[in-house]
Amino acid sequence: MLVSVTEDMDMSEPSDLVQDTLDMLLLKILALEPMNGFAVSQRLKQVSGDVLQVSDGSLYPALHKLEQEGWITAEWKTSEYGRRAKYYSLTRLGRRQLEKEADNWGRLSSAISRVIKLKEA
Amino acid sequence: MRPEHWLFAIPLRLRSLFRWAQADQELNDELRDHLERKTEEYVAKGMTQEEAQRRARLDLSGIEQTKEKCRDARGVNWIQGLIQDVRYGLRVLRKSPGFTIVAVLTLALGIGANTAIFSVIEAVLLRPLPYKEPSHVVLVADRQEPKGGGFLYKDFEAWKSQVRSFENMAAYYRDSGICRVTLTAGGEPESVQGAFVSSEFFRTLGVQPQLGRFFNSDEEAHRAHVVVLSHGLWLRRFGASVDVLGKELQIDSAEWEIIGVMPATFAFPNKDQQFWAPITTNRSWQEAALTTNIDPSNTRLFFARWILVGRLKSAVTVSQAQTEIDSLIARLNQSDPDKNRAPLAVTPLGVHLSGNTGLALFVLSAAVLFVLLIACSNVANLALARGAGREREMAVRAALGASRARLTCQLFTESALLALASGILGLALAAFGLRALIAFAPGDIPRLNEARLDASVLAFTIGISLLAAILFGLLPAWKASQRDPQESLKSAARGPGAPVSLKRTRDVLVVAEFAMAIILLTGAGLLVRSFLAVQSVDLGFQPEQVLAMRITMPAGTPQSRVLALHDEVLERLATLPDVKAVGAISDLFELGGVGNLGLRAIDGHVPEPPDKWTPLIWQSVSGDYFQAMGASLLRGRWFTSQDGPNSPLVAVIDENMARRYWPNEDPLGKRFKGQDPRGHNDDWVTAVGVVRNMRRNGLERESVPHVFQWYKQCEPADLRSSAPPDLVVRTTGDPLRAAASLRALVRSLDATAILSSVTTMKEQLSEQLSPRRFQTSLLGLFSLMALVLAVVGMFALLHYSVAQRTHEIGVRIALGAQRNQVLRQVLCEGLRLAVAGVVIGILGAVALTRLISSLLFGVRATDPASFATVAGLLILVALLACYVPARRAMRVDPMVALRYE
C-alpha cells in the first residue's frame, strides 16, 4: 500500500491544530453548506489536501463546543441515502465570528509571511 | 459574554442539563453514524469489515473518551457530574454504614463543640455592643489593684468641659453595695441592684429609651427622685404596660417617679440592675449631703467610688485619651496635693467587659479546634483505609475514561456529604451543648445569655464543616489520584495490601492525634491541679455546717430599731436547739477590689505617706462571729459583752495585720487610729486579739490585713449600718435544714425585715470557684474527647493493619513464629506511634501551657508531675488500644489465613 507523505507526518503528529484555528476552519467549512460531522472531517481533509489532519476524536468535541457557543446549530435530518444524521449549520453569530477570525488570521499570516520573506544578509 | 450569546447558550445548556438522557442519546447516535460512515469508507478503500471497524474506532481515539470530551464541551458536565457524584456518594455511604456512622459521629462531636464555643465567643467577644459606635466608648477608672486611688466628683465636673479627647463623659457609682436598695411596687419589698449615673450617661453610650425619656442635668442637680426602669423590671412588676410613665415606685421607702424604660438589650454598668437614677440620689450621696457638712462632690470620702465612661472623639485613640487624663491628674495633684488623686486607666469598654473571659475562651476555642483536628484525622485515616480497599473500583473507572480530576472530585463529594451530615448533627449537638453551657457557666461572663445559634453561627458551622471536609477528604482523594491505575488493577487482583506510603501517612496522622491529645490533656491536667489546689487552700475557718444569710431593713428604718432587731435576732437564734453559734459581719466576703488604706497613727511608728499604703479591710462584727465561722484565736481574746460603746475601743486583728505593722513585736495592746475622718477615727483602737488569717477576699488571692471591730463600738451615724447585715450561723446538723426555722423566727420578730442570699457557707465558697470549675471541666471534657478519639484512631489503625496482614501473619505462624512474638510485634508497632506522639505532644505542651499560666493556681505551667502523669496515662491507654488487635493477630489460625486468599 502506498504510504503518503502526510501519513508519515501523521506519525509525528504535526497538525494538532490550535483550538482557535480549528474553530475557524470548522466555521468556514460549515459556512459553505450545512453538513454532518463525518462530512466535515472529509471536507477538511479534501480541501487542505490532507495537510491538515484533525482526528475524529477532537472533531466532535470541537463541534459540540461551537454549538454550545451558539455559533453553529444542529438539527437531525434524513440524508440522501435515507439515513438520519445530525447536520450542523452556521448561525448569524457564527458568521460574524468567522469574519472576525478570518480577519485576524489574514493579518497574522501576512505579517508572518512578511517576516519570513526578509532577506538574510 | 454578549447577551445574544446567552440567547443561544442558555436553552442549550438547560436542555443538556434537564434532558440529559436525550442529549446523550443524540451524542450516541451521532458517533455511531460517524463510525458507520467511516467504516464504509475504509471498506471502500479495500479493508476487511473488521479491520475497517477497528480503524474507525481507533480514529475516534476511544468512543467513551470522546463522548466524555463532548459532554465536557457542553459545559454542564460538572453539574451532571456533581449530581452523579452526590447520588453515587450517597449510595456508597449507605453501603458502608459502619464507616458512615463512625465518621459522622466523630465529626459531629468536633463540629458541635466548635459551634457551641463559637456561639459563646461570638456573643461575648465578637458581637458589637448595642451602643452607637461602640469602639469609641471607653472606661476611665482607677487601677484598683494593686494600687488603689481615685478622683473627686468635682474633678469629673471640671473635666467634662476641659477634656479635648472626649465627646462626652459620664460618671456612675462603682460600689454595688451602695447601689443596692429596697424596692416596693405593690407586692413584697425586694432588695435590688440599681445604677446611679450622671445625666450624660445615656448620651455617652448612645442609647435611646424604649419608652419615655432620661433625666437631665437639672434633675441631677436637684436630686430629683426620677427613675428609668430596666426592661426586666418593667416586665416583672408592671406587666410591660405602656402607661407606666408618671407612675410612682417606692425605693428605700421614698416615692420615685418613673420617667422611662430601657430596651431589653441595655444592661450597663451591671448585668442585673433594675433601674437607672441620678447619681446624686444615691443613698451615700444623700446621707453625706444631709447628715454631714461635706460636699459629696469634693471629698476624699468618696474616693474610688466612681467610674467614668466616655465617648472618644472620632479621630482620638485610646492612648491619646490616656495621655490627656494623665496630664489632668498630674496637674490636679500639683495644685491640690493633699487630695492625692491616683492614676486612672483608659480602657475600651469591650476589653473591660470581656476582661478575663477572653483568655479562658481563647483556650477553650483552641481546645475544641484540636478536638476537631483529631476527629478529622481519624476520619481521614478511616477514609484512607477505605480508599485502599476501593483502589480496584477507582482503577476500573480511570480505565473507562474518568479523568484524575473527576475521580478526585468524586471522592471529595463523598467527604463533603459526610461533612454536611456531620454539620447538621453537630448543629443539633451544639444547640444542646450551648444550653448546658449557659446553665453551667458562672455569672461573670458578660453577655453569655445572648449566645444563640444565629445566622453567623450557622455560617461558621457550614464553614467549619467544609474545612473539615477539606482536611479529612483531600488527603485520601489526593493519595488515590496519585496511584497508577494499571498498577492498582494488577495489585488489586493479587489481593489487599496497602502500599508503604499510605501506611506512613496513616502513622503520621495517629502520631499527630496523640500529640494533640497530649497537649490538651496536659492543659486540662494543670487546670485540674489548680482546681484542687484552690480547693485545698487553707481557709482559716471551717465552712462546714455554716449557714449564711443577709438581713436588711428597709431604708428609713430608724437606726435604733435596726440595732435592736439585730440584737434580738442574735439572741433568739442562739437559743434554737440546732444552732451552735450566731454572729454577723458587715460583708461576708470581700470579693471585689480592696482599696489601699493607711492608718492615721500607729503605736511606735510614724504614719506612712499615701504611696506606701497597702490594701486593708476594716469590718465590724457582732455576736459570736468568730466562733460561728470556726476561726482560731492565736493570741489574746475575742470580743465580750463587756466591750460596749463606753468602754475603751478594741479590735481583733489578723496575722497579716500584725505582721504588716508590728513585724517583730507583740501586737497585743498596740494602738492605732483608722483612716476614716468620721466617727471614732480620732480615738485610739487597741488590738486585743490576733486571729488566724481567713481567706475572706477570694480563694485565689493573697489574704489582706484585716481589722475587726466590735459593732457596739461603731458610731451609729456611720454611713454603714452599725448592725452588720451578714449573718453567720453554725448549726449542729445540715445547715439548710435549719434555714426554714431561722427564716420563720426572723419573720416573727419583724415582718418588714428583708432576708436575702440564704445559702450554706459551702455553697458560697463553691460559687467563688465557679469560673474555675467552668474552665476546668470544659477543658477536661474536651481533652477527654480528644483522648477517646485518639485512642479510637490508634485502635482502628492497628485493627486494620492486622486485618490486612492476616495472610502474612498466618504464613509466619505456619512457619513456626511464636504467637507471643506476633503479639509483641503488634504492640510495639502501636507503642512506637504512641511514644512518638507523646514526645511531640510534650514538646508542644511545654510551648503552649505557658499561655495559660495566668489561669493556673499553685502549680507551674511546666509542672513535671502533670506532664509525667499525662504521658503515662496516654501510653497506658495506647497499650490497651493496641492489645485487642494484637490478640487478634496472635490468634490468627494459619489454615484460615491461608485459605482466605
Side-chain angles (χ1 to χ4, degrees):
Chain A
M1 209 169 96
L2 252 170
V3 176
S4 76
V5 182
T6 49
E7 267 187 302
D8 238 347
M9 284 169 67
D10 197 18
M11 296 294 133
S12 54
E13 296 185 22
S15 45
D16 193 12
L17 286 175
V18 185
Q19 188 67 45
D20 284 350
T21 324
L22 176 59
D23 287 356
M24 183 181 69
L25 290 180
L26 293 179
L27 288 176
K28 181 67 197 174
I29 286 168
L30 289 173
L32 304 176
E33 58 172 323
M35 57 182 79
N36 63 29
F38 178 73
V40 171
S41 81
Q42 296 289 83
R43 182 61 64 86
L44 250 180
K45 245 182 273 178
Q46 235 175 47
V47 295
S48 72
D50 277 0
V51 171
L52 299 174
Q53 288 246 336
V54 176
S55 82
D56 298 341
S58 9
L59 174 67
Y60 282 95
L63 284 173
H64 280 253
K65 198 200 114 206
L66 293 182
E67 188 188 356
Q68 205 62 47
E69 297 283 351
W71 293 334
I72 61 176
T73 170
E75 69 183 315
W76 286 85
K77 274 201 277 198
T78 310
S79 76
E80 58 271 38
Y81 305 109
R83 237 176 189 161
R84 266 173 59 77
K86 194 178 180 188
Y87 277 83
Y88 294 97
S89 55
L90 211 59
T91 62
R92 217 152 40 83
L93 270 179
R95 201 167 294 281
R96 216 181 292 159
Q97 178 70 16
L98 175 61
E99 278 164 21
K100 215 169 72 187
E101 285 189 13
D103 271 5
N104 281 345
W105 177 256
R107 270 204 303 280
L108 184 66
S109 62
S110 64
I112 290 177
S113 35
R114 273 203 301 279
V115 173
I116 296 299
K117 278 177 194 152
L118 289 176
K119 291 222 171 68
E120 290 177 36
Chain B
M1 262 187 235
R2 294 183 308 269
E4 67 262 37
H5 180 109
W6 282 103
L7 216 64
F8 290 92
I10 290 176
L12 270 169
R13 285 195 189 189
L14 288 179
R15 197 177 87 100
S16 348
L17 183 58
F18 291 109
R19 305 186 60 193
W20 183 75
Q22 193 192 336
D24 222 44
Q25 184 59 49
E26 285 181 4
L27 180 61
N28 267 338
D29 290 348
E30 184 178 16
L31 291 181
R32 207 186 43 233
D33 179 54
H34 172 92
L35 283 176
E36 280 169 14
R37 286 171 200 255
K38 195 86 184 205
T39 311
E40 281 163 20
E41 189 193 329
Y42 279 127
V43 169
K45 277 188 183 168
M47 289 185 194
T48 64
Q49 181 72 21
E50 290 88 62
E51 177 66 7
Q53 273 174 359
R54 203 184 66 84
R55 279 296 296 265
R57 268 203 299 274
L58 266 182
D59 286 350
L60 212 51
S61 46
I63 302 175
E64 285 308 318
Q65 279 90 332
T66 303
K67 275 192 198 167
E68 196 60 26
K69 277 193 214 156
C70 288
R71 289 183 199 123
D72 275 337
R74 308 196 79 92
V76 287
N77 212 23
W78 64 272
I79 301 183
Q80 271 159 18
L82 187 68
I83 294 171
Q84 237 176 3
D85 283 352
V86 168
R87 282 157 83 181
Y88 185 76
L90 284 175
R91 212 158 52 222
V92 166
L93 292 179
R94 236 192 347 252
K95 267 172 68 185
S96 46
F99 166 78
T100 309
I101 289 172
V102 170
V104 167
L105 280 181
T106 308
L107 286 173
L109 269 185
I111 293 174
N114 273 279
T115 303
I117 291 296
F118 174 78
S119 50
V120 169
I121 289 181
E122 202 261 341
V124 174
L125 299 178
L126 302 182
R127 197 181 298 164
L129 295 163
Y131 313 136
K132 192 182 87 192
E133 292 165 25
S135 59
H136 291 178
V137 182
V138 293
L139 284 193
V140 185
D142 50 350
R143 302 184 168 97
Q144 180 84 30
E145 286 179 37
K147 279 218 147 210
F151 56 92
L152 308 181
Y153 196 76
K154 204 183 65 172
D155 299 341
F156 157 66
E157 286 178 322
W159 292 342
K160 269 195 286 185
S161 53
Q162 286 171 17
V163 284
R164 274 165 287 126
S165 331
F166 292 83
E167 213 170 278
N168 286 309
M169 232 183 196
Y172 63 88
Y173 264 90
R174 174 218 303 276
D175 189 343
S176 58
I178 280 175
C179 301
R180 193 157 271 284
V181 300
T182 312
L183 185 134
T184 324
E188 221 178 277
E190 59 175 327
S191 171
V192 300
Q193 180 80 34
F196 293 86
V197 303
S198 70
S199 59
E200 309 85 356
F201 184 76
F202 302 100
R203 199 177 340 127
T204 305
L205 289 168
V207 287
Q208 291 297 325
Q210 183 175 333
L211 275 183
R213 61 177 182 93
F214 301 128
F215 42 84
N216 50 40
S217 50
D218 266 4
E219 285 164 319
E220 181 187 328
H222 293 106
R223 301 207 294 268
H225 278 185
V226 288
V227 286
V228 177
L229 301 186
S230 77
H231 198 264
L233 182 65
W234 181 51
L235 281 183
R236 196 157 48 83
R237 283 293 182 116
F238 298 94
S241 126
V242 221
D243 49 341
V244 70
L245 298 179
K247 280 202 174 143
E248 300 272 286
L249 176 69
Q250 271 209 335
I251 297 174
D252 283 347
S253 315
E255 298 292 323
W256 295 59
E257 187 195 346
I258 298 167
I259 58 165
V261 175
M262 288 307 289
T265 49
F266 187 70
F268 186 78
N270 297 305
K271 243 167 111 172
D272 53 351
Q273 70 258 303
Q274 306 290 320
F275 63 85
W276 290 262
I279 197 162
T280 49
T281 59
N282 181 271
R283 185 165 62 230
S284 70
W285 189 299
Q286 303 256 41
E287 284 170 12
L290 297 176
T291 60
T292 65
N293 286 325
I294 307 165
D295 173 8
S297 67
N298 189 22
T299 173
R300 304 186 59 148
L301 173 65
F302 287 81
F303 262 17
R305 285 205 177 146
W306 295 295
I307 294 179
L308 299 183
V309 56
R311 176 174 291 279
L312 296 180
K313 286 189 180 151
S314 56
V316 175
T317 65
V318 170
S319 63
Q320 283 167 335
Q322 179 73 64
T323 314
E324 186 180 6
I325 292 285
D326 287 348
S327 71
L328 285 172
I329 296 269
R331 214 179 310 149
L332 280 170
N333 275 342
Q334 234 165 28
S335 62
D336 185 14
D338 55 303
K339 293 275 163 58
N340 187 51
R341 283 116 180 136
L344 297 178
V346 180
T347 331
L349 186 58
V351 173
H352 169 83
L353 285 181
S354 53
N356 298 329
T357 49
L359 178 63
L361 285 181
F362 167 75
V363 169
L364 288 180
S365 57
V368 285
L369 189 66
F370 273 27
V371 171
L372 183 67
L373 285 178
I374 294 177
C376 281
S377 51
N378 250 354
V379 176
N381 238 341
L382 282 174
L384 278 176
R386 250 174 99 249
R390 287 170 67 189
E391 225 164 79
R392 193 191 166 84
E393 174 203 334
M394 292 297 149
V396 168
R397 298 189 50 190
L400 285 178
S403 66
R404 181 169 288 187
R406 191 72 183 65
L407 285 182
T408 311
C409 198
Q410 186 227 318
L411 282 176
F412 192 69
T413 309
E414 282 180 43
S415 309
L417 281 175
L418 272 182
L420 192 74
S422 318
I424 293 170
L425 186 60
L427 207 59
L429 285 180
F432 280 110
L434 185 61
R435 222 179 303 159
L437 212 82
I438 293 175
F440 179 53
D444 69 337
I445 300 183
R447 304 207 285 158
L448 177 64
N449 47 1
E450 292 171 29
R452 51 186 55 93
L453 301 178
D454 55 13
S456 55
V457 173
L458 201 67
F460 174 84
T461 311
I462 293 172
I464 203 154
S465 305
L466 283 181
L467 179 76
I470 290 170
L471 283 178
F472 76 78
L474 225 46
L475 185 65
W478 179 67
K479 281 278 172 195
S481 74
Q482 281 212 314
R483 308 269 305 154
D484 176 7
Q486 283 206 358
E487 205 41 51
S488 300
L489 278 176
K490 279 189 219 146
S491 71
R494 274 200 307 270
V500 179
S501 76
L502 216 57
K503 172 86 174 73
R504 193 159 306 142
T505 312
R506 306 192 56 202
D507 286 354
V508 168
L509 283 176
V510 166
V511 169
E513 283 179 36
F514 264 72
M516 287 189 279
I518 278 271
I519 294 176
L520 279 192
L521 279 169
T522 318
L526 289 172
L527 279 187
V528 167
R529 287 206 56 181
S530 306
F531 188 77
L532 295 178
V534 175
Q535 264 195 326
S536 59
V537 136
D538 182 8
L539 294 171
F541 58 89
Q542 273 119 39
E544 297 83 12
Q545 299 191 327
V546 175
L547 188 77
M549 64 167 89
R550 170 172 282 240
I551 302 181
T552 44
M553 297 295 284
T557 313
Q559 279 295 332
S560 55
R561 173 76 198 115
V562 176
L563 257 179
L565 178 74
H566 184 80
D567 287 349
E568 222 173 329
V569 166
L570 289 185
E571 198 179 310
R572 295 286 298 276
L573 284 185
T575 63
L576 286 179
D578 43 1
V579 171
K580 272 192 189 158
V582 189
I585 184 162
S586 27
D587 291 293
L588 187 59
F589 289 107
E590 203 90 25
L591 301 176
V594 177
N596 291 342
L597 283 178
L599 298 177
R600 288 157 69 83
I602 313 157
D603 247 0
H605 296 268
V606 272
E608 292 168 337
D611 59 316
K612 289 272 163 57
W613 292 358
T614 53
L616 174 70
I617 293 175
W618 196 299
Q619 294 272 304
S620 74
V621 299
S622 69
D624 295 327
Y625 166 76
F626 296 105
Q627 290 88 334
M629 287 292 278
S632 13
L633 184 67
L634 297 177
R635 320 230 10 224
R637 63 170 179 92
W638 297 132
F639 298 117
T640 68
S641 50
Q642 267 82 55
D643 299 315
N646 303 316
S647 61
L649 297 179
V650 291
V652 171
I653 62 173
D654 67 354
E655 291 171 275
N656 278 331
M657 178 76 183
R659 213 169 298 138
R660 163 82 171 77
Y661 290 99
W662 304 280
N664 296 310
E665 301 167 64
D666 181 4
L668 286 189
K670 288 287 190 302
R671 301 179 309 156
F672 53 93
K673 289 181 183 180
Q675 180 55 48
D676 203 304
R678 297 157 302 133
H680 285 304
N681 288 321
D682 275 337
D683 298 332
W684 287 102
V685 181
T686 310
V688 294
V690 179
V691 64
R692 248 184 88 202
N693 287 335
M694 295 192 272
R695 290 252 174 185
R696 288 189 60 260
N697 56 314
L699 295 172
E700 299 184 24
R701 295 196 294 186
E702 282 303 312
S703 55
V704 158
H706 275 72
V707 176
F708 299 96
Q709 226 185 327
W710 188 235
Y711 76 121
K712 288 209 165 136
Q713 295 187 331
C714 292
E715 188 72 16
D718 192 337
L719 286 183
R720 297 201 100 109
S721 156
S722 55
D726 278 336
L727 227 60
V728 186
V729 184
R730 179 164 291 275
T731 58
T732 48
D734 178 4
L736 274 183
R737 212 133 27 98
S741 51
L742 297 189
R743 218 188 256 271
L745 184 72
V746 174
R747 280 254 168 278
S748 74
L749 291 175
D750 191 329
T752 63
I754 302 162
L755 273 174
S756 53
S757 27
V758 184
T759 52
T760 63
M761 184 65 77
K762 274 285 195 197
E763 233 171 282
Q764 290 260 355
L765 292 174
S766 153
E767 179 66 34
Q768 291 181 30
L769 268 174
S770 71
R772 181 168 282 290
R773 188 178 305 117
F774 181 69
Q775 290 157 15
T776 307
S777 40
L778 271 192
L779 193 60
L781 177 72
F782 294 146
S783 51
L784 216 63
M785 276 162 72
L787 177 68
V788 169
L789 288 177
V791 167
V792 167
M794 164 77 85
F795 172 79
L797 176 79
L798 287 181
H799 183 83
Y800 173 77
S801 120
V802 166
Q804 249 189 347
R805 281 160 39 196
T806 309
H807 177 66
E808 175 211 321
I809 296 170
V811 170
R812 285 176 50 197
I813 293 178
L815 290 178
Q818 289 298 306
R819 287 181 185 259
N820 275 347
Q821 264 177 317
V822 174
L823 180 82
R824 206 173 321 129
Q825 199 205 353
V826 177
L827 282 184
C828 281
E829 186 188 334
L831 213 55
R832 224 185 50 235
L833 299 180
V835 169
V838 165
V839 170
I840 297 173
I842 294 270
L843 291 178
V846 169
L848 289 177
T849 49
R850 218 172 319 146
L851 296 178
I852 61 166
S853 51
S854 70
L855 296 178
L856 302 181
F857 180 87
V859 57
R860 291 229 324 259
T862 51
D863 176 46
S866 303
F867 278 69
T869 313
V870 168
L873 173 76
L874 229 68
I875 290 190
L876 196 72
V877 291
L879 268 180
L880 284 178
C882 303
Y883 186 68
V884 178
R887 291 274 301 189
R888 221 173 77 118
M890 192 177 87
R891 294 221 178 115
V892 163
D893 180 349
M895 288 313 288
V896 175
L898 292 175
R899 237 181 273 132
Y900 178 69
E901 283 284 287

